[in-house]
């Protein structure tokens, strides 16, 4: 095991100290555990800890009781005695048993990666939806870990009957948590219903969702394209709610853009499940823009993680446009060339300098128009009043007023075609040479 002191010279001295522990597992994608700790350091700092030391180890087998082997736990204990931290944070998910045993040996709080991610989510949650989703995920995380507190108490107080008291209390606590979980799940179903109504109102509009690894620049891009004022921070998980805005700048059609929660490797499963409603914004999009921070040394792995999560969410069959952001921060142009060559029809941009944003707009328009089929509609002059209504569903390319009536050349998505046909009580046929998609 390698122990490393982390020297920070900023103002974090008053924050609770933490020792970070990273392991490289045999099935790990990254052969180096240093990189993974860099991310854990970011997570710990975002959760308001001051990382004071880090320990890394290559593991071939995980110890069922203490995660690390006994010799390594001893080294960790010495580091704890030396630094006296508030917590030891593991970059992996620990079983409740491992967590309990390690706390007993180290005499210090032990946290794992899911805990720290949940903590950040909980600190950043602002809306009713985000708060409910995080609380639900936290309760599901806590449930199997409940014994910790009571087994500790019964040991401390000793005496006949304390164990029974502890066990009864655990059962009571479990029931309370289960009830609370049920309550929150019902609340989420209600929120989901409200969201569905909002989504229904937006059904006819082309929807683009920004997805990607946390800190890639999704919110910054959202602000660039829509003039919105979404929070942008050099912190992990700055955004927890899906914000939806119209793309205005230099855009010929109404397009809705949504900013979404960032992705990260080893995202706690309960969190993904709880954030179903927020992530539905992604599921209902017509186009996904996968934002990648190309200046990050681990960008390829971050892309893979995001791709895997999108696959798990069942949205990898949607149109996906890859955008390599932060090209202003690249050491050389070859990195961009390599990335663009590896992913067909991707774009390099910088939200900071504005480079590539025009190309990105053109790509979005291209994807939008790809979805529309051309139609010709003949109206009588007396039906001119309908044109405003038609424009809500259709992209009207031109209106030709003749002696016989009005001829409209339209472009329609399959959904808006059906809607328009029901309003006008007629059946539309695509104009020749073009196929409906
Ligand atoms: N150099 C450079 N920095 C950028 C660029 N775009 C965004 N950033 C910075 O990257 C950091 C993260 O930006 P955000 O827009 O908050 O990233 P995000 O993807 O929304 O992050 P989460 O909401 O945490 O998932 C901020 O410090 C931005 O200022 C860029 O083109 N160049
Ligand atoms: Mg964001």
């Amino acid at each position: 095991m390698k122990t490393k002191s982390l020297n920070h010279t900023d103002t974090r001295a008053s924050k609770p100290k933490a020792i970070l522990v990273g392991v490289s597992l045999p099935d790990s994608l990254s052969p180096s555990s240093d990189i993974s700790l860099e991310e854990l350091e970011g997570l710990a700092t975002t959760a308001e800890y001051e990382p004071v030391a880090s320990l890394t180890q290559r593991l071939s087998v995980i110890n069922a009781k203490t995660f690390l082997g006994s010799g390594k736990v001893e080294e960790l204990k010495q580091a704890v005695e030396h630094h006296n931290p508030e917590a030891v944070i593991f970059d992996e998910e620990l079983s409740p048993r491992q967590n309990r045993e390690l706390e007993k040996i180290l005499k210090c709080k032990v946290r794992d990666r899911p805990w720290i991610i949940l903590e950040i989510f909980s600190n950043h949650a602002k809306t009713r939806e985000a708060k409910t989703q995080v609380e639900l995920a936290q309760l599901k995380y806590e449930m199997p870990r409940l014994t910790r507190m009571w087994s500790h108490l019964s040991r401390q107080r000793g005496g006949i009957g304390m164990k029974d008291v502890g066990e009864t209390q655990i059962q009571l606590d479990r029931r309370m948590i289960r009830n609370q979980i049920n309550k929150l799940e019902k609340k989420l179903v209600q929120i989901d219903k409200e969201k569905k109504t909002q989504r229904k109102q937006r059904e006819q509009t082309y929807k683009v969702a920004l997805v990607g690894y946390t800190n890639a620049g999704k919110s910054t891009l959202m602000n660039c394209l829509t003039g919105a004022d979404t929070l942008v921070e050099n912190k992990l998980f700055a955004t927890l709610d899906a914000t939806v805005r119209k793309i205005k700048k230099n855009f010929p059609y109404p397009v809705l853009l949504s900013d979404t929660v960032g992705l990260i490797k080893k995202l706690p499963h309960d969190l993904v499940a709880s954030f179903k409603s927020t992530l539905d914004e992604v599921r209902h999009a017509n186009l996904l823009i996968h934002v990648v921070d190309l200046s990050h040394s681990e960008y390829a792995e971050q892309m893979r993680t995001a791709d895997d999560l999108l696959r798990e969410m069942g949205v990898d069959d949607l149109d996906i446009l890859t955008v390599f952001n932060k090209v202003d921060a690249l050491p050389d142009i070859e990195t961009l060339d390599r990335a663009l060559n590896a992913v067909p029809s991707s774009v390099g941009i910088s939200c900071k300098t504005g480079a590539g944003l025009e190309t990105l707009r053109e790509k979005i328009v291209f994807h939008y128009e790809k979805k529309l089929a051309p139609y010709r509609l003949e109206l009588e002059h007396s039906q001119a009043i309908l044109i405003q209504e038609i424009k809500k569903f259709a992209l009207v390319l031109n209106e030709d007023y003749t002696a016989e009536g009005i001829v409209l050349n339209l472009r329609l998505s399959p959904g808006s075609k059906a809607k328009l046909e029901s309003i006008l009580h007629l059946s539309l046929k695509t104009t020749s040479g073009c196929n409906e998609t």
Side-chain angles (χ1 to χ4, degrees):
M1 183 185 289
K2 218 169 63 192
T3 312
K4 208 165 69 183
S5 282
L6 302 168
N7 295 318
H8 296 293
T9 50
D10 63 14
T11 54
R12 288 182 285 182
S14 59
K15 292 180 179 176
K17 291 184 206 163
I19 293 181
L20 311 181
V21 182
V23 294
S24 167
L25 299 169
D27 61 349
S28 160
L29 275 175
S30 157
S32 142
S33 53
D34 283 355
I35 299 300
S36 181
L37 273 193
E38 195 184 306
E39 187 169 275
L40 185 66
E41 206 181 324
L43 287 168
T45 313
T46 307
E48 305 290 326
Y49 280 99
E50 181 199 356
V52 286
S54 69
L55 294 91
T56 56
Q57 193 203 355
R58 286 180 200 285
L59 268 186
S60 49
V61 203
I62 294 168
N63 187 305
K65 218 169 142 189
T66 54
F67 199 83
L68 307 167
S70 57
K72 307 301 167 192
V73 174
E74 190 49 41
E75 282 179 48
L76 185 54
K77 195 174 174 201
Q78 284 170 17
V80 168
E81 279 163 10
H82 178 72
H83 291 283
N84 192 24
E86 168 81 13
V88 170
I89 305 174
F90 277 69
D91 199 25
E92 302 292 327
E93 175 162 4
L94 298 172
S95 71
R97 183 188 180 198
Q98 289 163 339
N99 210 131
R100 208 163 45 235
E101 286 298 324
L102 283 164
E103 285 192 341
K104 212 158 69 182
I105 299 168
L106 301 174
K107 296 191 176 57
C108 166
K109 268 185 220 154
V110 171
R111 305 300 195 191
D112 62 3
R113 189 176 167 104
W115 184 90
I116 197 116
I117 293 176
L118 286 167
E119 179 74 2
I120 297 172
F121 269 62
S122 168
N123 292 342
H124 291 187
K126 291 204 176 56
T127 62
R128 183 169 69 112
E129 181 182 13
K131 281 183 182 159
T132 313
Q133 291 176 139
V134 178
E135 198 189 332
L136 180 62
Q138 277 183 316
L139 287 177
K140 286 187 173 169
Y141 173 86
E142 280 299 333
M143 184 86 146
R145 290 168 171 81
L146 261 187
T147 47
R148 197 186 333 168
M149 188 168 69
W150 286 102
S151 60
H152 170 72
L153 251 186
S154 59
R155 235 190 359 268
Q156 221 181 35
R157 295 201 195 152
I160 302 158
M162 270 323 284
K163 194 166 179 284
D164 294 342
V165 172
E167 274 170 9
T168 316
Q169 191 60 45
I170 290 165
Q171 280 164 6
L172 280 173
D173 285 356
R174 282 232 170 93
R175 195 171 330 134
M176 257 167 59
I177 291 194
R178 233 176 265 126
N179 288 343
Q180 183 66 1
I181 287 178
N182 284 341
K183 229 169 88 185
L184 291 173
E185 280 175 340
K186 279 192 190 127
K187 198 166 157 188
L188 276 182
V189 169
Q190 185 53 38
I191 294 175
D192 207 34
K193 264 191 202 151
E194 293 163 21
K195 284 248 159 175
K196 268 192 192 127
T197 315
Q198 287 171 12
R199 264 200 302 272
K200 204 154 178 64
Q201 288 160 2
R202 303 196 294 254
E203 218 164 54
Q204 304 307 326
T205 317
Y206 190 71
K207 288 173 288 295
V208 181
L210 297 168
V211 293
Y213 215 78
T214 180
N215 216 44
K218 299 177 294 298
S219 302
T220 315
L221 181 57
M222 170 93 173
N223 292 347
C224 284
L225 293 176
T226 67
D229 197 16
T230 309
L231 176 74
V232 167
E233 270 190 301
N234 196 12
K235 274 191 172 180
L236 306 179
F237 303 115
T239 309
L240 287 195
D241 301 289
T243 329
V244 184
R245 294 275 184 283
K246 239 185 195 156
I247 300 188
K248 289 183 196 135
K249 295 185 182 171
N250 307 339
F251 228 76
Y253 316 122
V255 171
L256 287 173
L257 186 67
S258 53
D259 186 14
T260 61
V261 58
L263 306 171
I264 198 164
K265 73 177 167 222
K266 301 178 213 160
L267 200 58
H269 182 75
D270 288 335
L271 206 50
V272 182
S274 296
F275 269 70
K276 184 193 157 297
S277 170
T278 300
L279 293 171
D280 269 351
E281 214 56 62
V282 175
R283 279 191 196 94
H284 290 89
N286 302 97
L287 171 69
L288 301 184
I289 295 186
H290 181 174
V291 185
V292 180
D293 173 0
L294 191 60
S295 71
H296 198 287
S297 57
E298 291 284 294
Y299 85 85
E301 195 186 337
Q302 294 187 346
M303 269 180 84
R304 258 198 309 274
T305 302
D307 283 337
D308 289 347
L309 284 165
L310 292 174
R311 202 168 308 121
E312 267 175 46
M313 284 159 56
V315 293
D316 53 319
D317 58 339
L318 292 176
D319 259 359
I320 301 184
L321 173 59
T322 305
V323 167
F324 293 108
N325 188 28
K326 308 196 191 180
V327 296
D328 59 279
L330 294 181
D332 51 60
I333 190 74
E334 287 79 27
T335 311
L336 177 61
D337 289 342
R338 260 198 313 274
L340 291 174
N341 283 334
V343 185
S345 114
S346 51
V347 199
I349 64 160
S350 164
C351 291
K352 199 171 174 183
T353 64
L357 288 182
E358 208 34 64
T359 316
L360 174 59
R361 282 192 192 97
E362 283 164 16
K363 294 248 181 200
I364 298 173
V365 171
F366 168 78
H367 278 274
Y368 177 83
E369 291 186 341
K370 211 171 69 173
K371 294 274 178 206
L372 304 178
Y375 295 91
R376 183 184 149 92
L377 178 63
E378 290 176 17
L379 297 174
E380 290 171 12
H381 283 296
S382 60
Q383 291 177 301
I385 197 162
L386 289 173
I387 294 177
Q388 277 317 312
E389 190 63 19
I390 291 169
K391 281 183 178 169
K392 287 185 190 161
F393 307 101
L395 173 68
V396 179
L397 295 178
N398 57 49
E399 301 165 34
D400 200 4
Y401 289 80
T402 65
E404 290 77 37
I406 312 162
V407 179
L408 300 182
N409 277 306
L410 314 169
R411 277 177 179 269
L412 289 167
S413 65
S416 51
K417 172 181 175 266
K419 192 102 185 172
L420 195 59
E421 283 179 335
S422 79
I423 287 176
L424 299 176
H425 306 292
L426 51 77
S427 153
L428 290 162
K429 294 230 160 12
T430 70
T431 47
S432 58
C434 297
N435 292 322
E436 209 175 327
T437 52

